[in-house]
C-alpha cells in the first residue's frame, strides 16, 4: 500500500535527523484504533463502517490542528486526506510562512500573543524548532490604510527611523517618504515541520490519519456517514477544513460559499553576491504600492540557500484540480510585477526568479476567516482560512473547532 510505505519512509527520515519523537505511523494508528473503536458489522460484500467521535476532512494545517485539539480532548478522531501525505497540492506545504503581530485589524493583533504561546507548546512537545524569530518590517506611504492600521495596532514606538532600518535590513531600499514599522515578534514559521509535528502529536494522542482517501459523499444526520474512496466512517460530528476544495465538499450539502481559489506564484530570487545577507534579513511586507495593490511580502533565504522568497499577495483565479494547467508561454503578470519591485527595493537580488513554484490561496470576500456551523446541520462545522493568514492561528482556530 503506497501510503504505508510512504509513512515508514517519512518516519525513518525524521528519526534519523534526530527530529520528532517516534510515534506509531498513521496506518498503524488506524489499525489500533479500529481494534479499539466500534467497527459495525457489514453485510457480506459491503464495506465495513468504523465509528468515531469526530471526523475531520482535510489534513492541511487547519484540519490537522482541529483533529489534534479533538484528540487532546479525548475524542476518538479520524483525519481524512485525499492525497498521500505530505503533499504539495493545497495551501499548507512549503518550508516557510510569516507569523506576525502587525495586522491592521486590532483583533488579529491581539490574538497573536496567545498564538505564539500555543506554537511554543507544540515546539516543546515536538522537541524541534518550529519558529524562527527574525522581526518583520512593514513598509508603506503615510496615509495608506493598511500601514496606518498596523501603526495603530502596534503603537507609535513601532516606527523605525531610516538609520535603524538600514542597519537591520541593509538590502532594502525604501522609496522617499515611505514609513517603516518594526514588528519584533514577527518571524518565520517552519511550515512543513509544523504540519508534521501537529499530525504526529495527533497520532500520539490516539488519533487516526487516513491519507490517500478522498471524501466522496457525506450523509448528514444525528450520526453522519462519510464515504471515501476506501471506506465508510460514522461520527456524530464532522469538521470540514478542505481549503480550496471546500465548495466541492459542501455543495452536496446544499451550500455554495463565495470563495475564490487563487493560484499563487511562489518566487525565490538569487542573491547577486552569495552570502550578502539574504539569510539573515527580517521578513517584510510592502503595502500600498500602486502597481501591486494587494501588497508584496518577503522572507529570508531558507528553502534554497541564497534564494530569498518574495511573493505577491494575490494570484490568478483557478480551480484547485487545474492549478498547474497553465498554457506554455502565457504571461505571468505577477512575476513581472515582482521583478520591478526587486529591481527597485532589493537591488542585491537578481531581478528574475531562480525558482518558481505554485500554491493556493482561497479568498473570502472580506479576507476574513470562516468558522461556522452548517445552517441546517449543526453537527457539521465548516472552516476556512482566507488569504495568507492561515498559518498564524491554526492552533487557536483548531481549539475553537474542537470545543
Ligand atoms: C504561497 C503561500 C504563502 C502563504 N503565506 C502565509 C504566511 O506568510 N502567513 C500565514 O499566516 N499564512 C500564509 N499562507 C496561508 C496559509 O498557508 C493557509 O491559509 C493555510 O495553509 C490553509 O490551510 P488549510 O488547512 O485551510 O488548507 P489546505 O492546506 O489546502 O488543506 C485542505 C486539505 O483538504 C484536503 N481535501 C480537500 N478536499 C478533500 C476531500 N474531498 N477528501 C479529503 N481531503 C480533502 C486537501 O487535499 C488539503 O490537504 C500562505 C499560503 C500560500 C499558498
Amino acid at each position: 500500500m503506497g501510503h504505508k510505505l510512504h509513512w515508514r519512509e517519512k518516519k525513518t527520515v525524521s528519526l534519523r535527523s534526530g527530529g520528532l519523537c517516534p510515534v506509531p505511523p498513521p496506518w498503524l494508528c488506524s489499525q489500533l484504533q479500529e481494534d479499539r473503536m466500534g467497527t459495525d458489522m457489514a453485510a457480506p460484500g459491503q464495506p465495513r463502517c468504523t465509528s468515531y467521535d469526530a471526523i475531520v476532512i482535510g489534513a492541511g494545517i487547519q484540519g490537522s490542528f482541529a483533529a489534534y485539539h479533538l484528540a487532546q480532548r479525548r475524542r476518538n478522531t479520524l483525519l481524512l486526506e485525499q492525497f498521500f501525505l505530505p503533499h504539495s497540492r493545497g495551501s499548507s506545504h512549503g518550508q516557510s510562512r510569516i507569523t506576525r503581530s502587525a495586522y491592521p485589524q486590532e483583533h488579529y493583533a491581539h490574538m497573536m500573543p496567545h498564538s505564539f504561546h500555543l506554537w511554543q507548546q507544540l515546539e516543546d512537545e515536538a522537541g524541534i524548532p518550529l519558529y524562527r524569530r527574525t522581526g518583520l518590517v512593514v513598509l508603506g506611504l503615510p496615509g495608506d490604510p493598511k500601514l496606518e492600521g498596523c501603526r495603530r495596532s502596534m503603537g507609535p514606538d513601532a516606527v523605525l527611523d531610516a538609520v535603524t532600518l538600514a542597519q537591520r535590513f541593509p538590502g532594502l531600499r525604501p522609496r522617499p517618504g515611505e514609513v517603516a514599522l518594526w514588528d519584533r515578534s514577527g518571524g518565520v514559521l517552519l511550515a512543513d515541520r509544523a504540519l508534521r509535528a501537529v499530525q504526529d502529536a495527533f497520532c500520539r494522542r490516539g488519533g487516526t490519519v487516513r491519507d490517500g482517501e478522498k471524501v466522496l459523499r457525506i450523509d448528514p444526520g444525528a450520526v453522519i456517514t462519510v464515504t471515501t474512496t476506501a471506506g465508510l466512517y460514522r461520527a456524530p460530528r464532522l469538521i470540514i477544513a478542505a481549503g480550496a476544495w471546500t465548495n466541492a465538499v459542501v455543495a452536496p450539502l446544499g451550500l455554495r460559499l463565495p470563495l475564490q481559489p487563487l493560484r499563487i506564484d511562489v518566487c525565490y530570487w538569487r542573491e547577486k553576491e552569495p552570502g550578502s545577507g539574504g539569510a539573515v534579513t527580517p521578513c517584510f511586507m510592502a503595502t500600498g504600492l500602486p502597481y501591486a495593490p494587494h501588497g508584496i511580502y518577503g522572507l529570508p533565504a531558507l528553502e534554497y540557500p541564497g534564494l530569498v522568497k518574495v511573493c505577491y499577495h494575490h494570484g490568478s483565479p483557478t480551480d484547485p484540480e487545474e492549478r498547474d494547467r497553465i498554457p506554455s508561454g502565457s504571461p505571468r503578470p505577477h512575476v513581472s510585477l515582482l521583478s520591478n519591485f526587486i529591481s527597485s527595493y532589493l537591488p542585491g537580488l537578481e531581478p528574475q526568479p531562480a525558482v518558481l513554484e505554485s500554491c493556493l490561496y482561497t479568498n473570502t470576500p472580506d479576507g476574513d476567516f470562516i468558522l461556522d456551523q452548517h445552517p441546517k446541520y449543526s453537527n457539521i462545522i465548516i472552516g476556512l482560512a482566507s488569504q495568507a493568514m492561515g498559518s498564524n492561528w491554526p492552533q487557536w482556530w483548531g481549539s475553537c473547532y474542537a470545543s
Side-chain angles (χ1 to χ4, degrees):
M1 293 241 319
H3 78 291
K4 292 184 183 180
L5 177 61
H6 160 79
W7 275 92
R8 283 202 192 105
E9 283 167 350
K10 191 175 104 174
K11 281 299 121 191
T12 312
V13 171
S14 86
L15 290 173
R16 208 184 295 142
S17 61
L20 306 173
C21 304
V23 294
W27 60 269
L28 183 56
C29 288
S30 312
Q31 288 170 6
L32 294 172
Q33 282 294 306
E34 276 174 23
D35 291 344
R36 200 149 64 82
M37 292 300 309
T39 301
D40 304 341
M41 293 299 292
Q46 296 294 310
R48 282 193 320 173
C49 180
T50 311
S51 297
Y52 293 88
D53 293 336
I55 299 173
V56 179
I57 300 176
I61 196 72
Q62 306 295 333
S64 298
F65 261 109
Y68 162 78
H69 281 284
L70 284 159
Q72 210 174 28
R73 288 164 170 75
R74 299 182 184 283
R75 303 279 185 274
N76 273 302
T77 304
L78 170 66
L79 177 59
L80 288 168
E81 169 53 51
Q82 62 181 336
F83 300 122
F84 290 110
L85 293 169
H87 73 83
S88 58
R89 309 302 308 165
S91 302
S92 301
H93 61 279
Q95 302 293 326
S96 62
R97 295 287 186 274
I98 293 179
T99 54
R100 57 185 159 118
S101 304
Y103 273 96
Q105 304 93 332
E106 283 189 44
H107 51 274
Y108 286 139
H110 289 154
M111 283 159 63
M112 279 316 290
H114 185 53
S115 183
F116 281 122
H117 171 71
L118 293 172
W119 278 122
Q120 179 70 52
Q121 274 182 349
L122 182 64
E123 215 174 38
D124 291 346
E125 177 173 343
I128 49 167
L130 300 179
Y131 171 71
R132 192 172 294 169
R133 184 171 289 207
T134 61
L136 171 127
V137 172
V138 184
L139 207 59
L141 283 169
D144 173 72
K146 281 195 183 131
L147 180 100
E148 296 303 342
C150 289
R151 194 195 316 232
R152 259 193 314 280
S153 65
M154 292 161 67
D157 294 345
V159 179
L160 274 187
D161 63 72
V163 175
T164 319
L165 176 65
Q167 279 166 354
R168 290 198 186 152
F169 204 155
L172 184 68
R173 304 284 154 79
R175 300 298 87 201
E178 280 182 329
V179 173
L181 307 176
W182 177 245
D183 172 3
R184 63 166 54 81
S185 72
V188 182
L189 179 77
L190 306 179
D192 276 346
R193 252 194 218 188
L195 184 61
R196 201 173 67 195
V198 71
Q199 289 167 355
D200 285 350
F202 168 62
C203 278
R204 271 196 294 274
R205 284 163 179 73
T208 303
V209 179
R210 286 196 171 273
D211 59 349
E213 282 197 36
K214 182 171 181 164
V215 171
L216 301 175
R217 180 182 164 136
I218 299 167
D219 291 303
V223 175
I224 302 154
T225 304
V226 175
T227 307
T228 71
T229 39
L232 222 62
Y233 308 99
R234 305 183 81 202
R237 196 166 180 196
L238 176 69
I239 291 172
I240 299 172
W245 289 264
T246 299
N247 267 328
V249 175
V250 301
L253 299 171
L255 273 188
R256 174 93 206 147
L257 301 174
L259 304 177
Q260 179 59 72
L262 298 173
R263 179 178 47 74
I264 305 295
D265 292 322
V266 185
C267 303
Y268 300 85
W269 311 79
R270 194 181 304 284
E271 293 168 314
K272 285 180 180 163
E273 269 184 53
S276 59
V280 292
T281 54
C283 298
F284 74 87
M285 288 171 11
T287 172
L289 300 165
Y291 59 91
H294 297 276
I296 288 174
Y297 63 90
L299 295 83
L302 180 80
E303 285 87 344
Y304 308 108
L307 302 192
V308 178
K309 183 174 175 179
V310 182
C311 304
Y312 187 39
H313 187 39
H314 198 62
S316 317
T318 192
D319 174 334
E321 300 293 338
E322 307 280 330
R323 187 192 76 183
D324 295 330
R325 199 175 284 201
I326 310 163
S328 70
S330 51
R332 308 288 285 250
H334 300 150
V335 177
S336 314
L337 164 169
L338 286 165
S339 292
N340 284 340
F341 176 85
I342 300 278
S343 303
S344 107
Y345 282 80
L346 294 161
L349 301 179
E350 300 281 358
Q352 293 306 321
V355 174
L356 184 49
E357 296 171 341
S358 292
C359 193
L360 291 169
Y361 281 2
T362 308
N363 281 1
T364 55
D366 59 5
D368 278 324
F369 288 83
I370 292 177
L371 177 55
D372 209 346
Q373 294 171 322
H374 187 287
K376 196 162 160 203
Y377 312 112
S378 61
N379 56 352
I380 300 181
I381 310 286
I382 298 150
L384 186 105
S386 182
Q387 295 189 349
M389 349 198 269
S391 297
N392 265 324
W393 308 286
Q395 348 73 339
W396 177 89
W397 209 64
S399 74
C400 294
Y401 269 138
S403 53

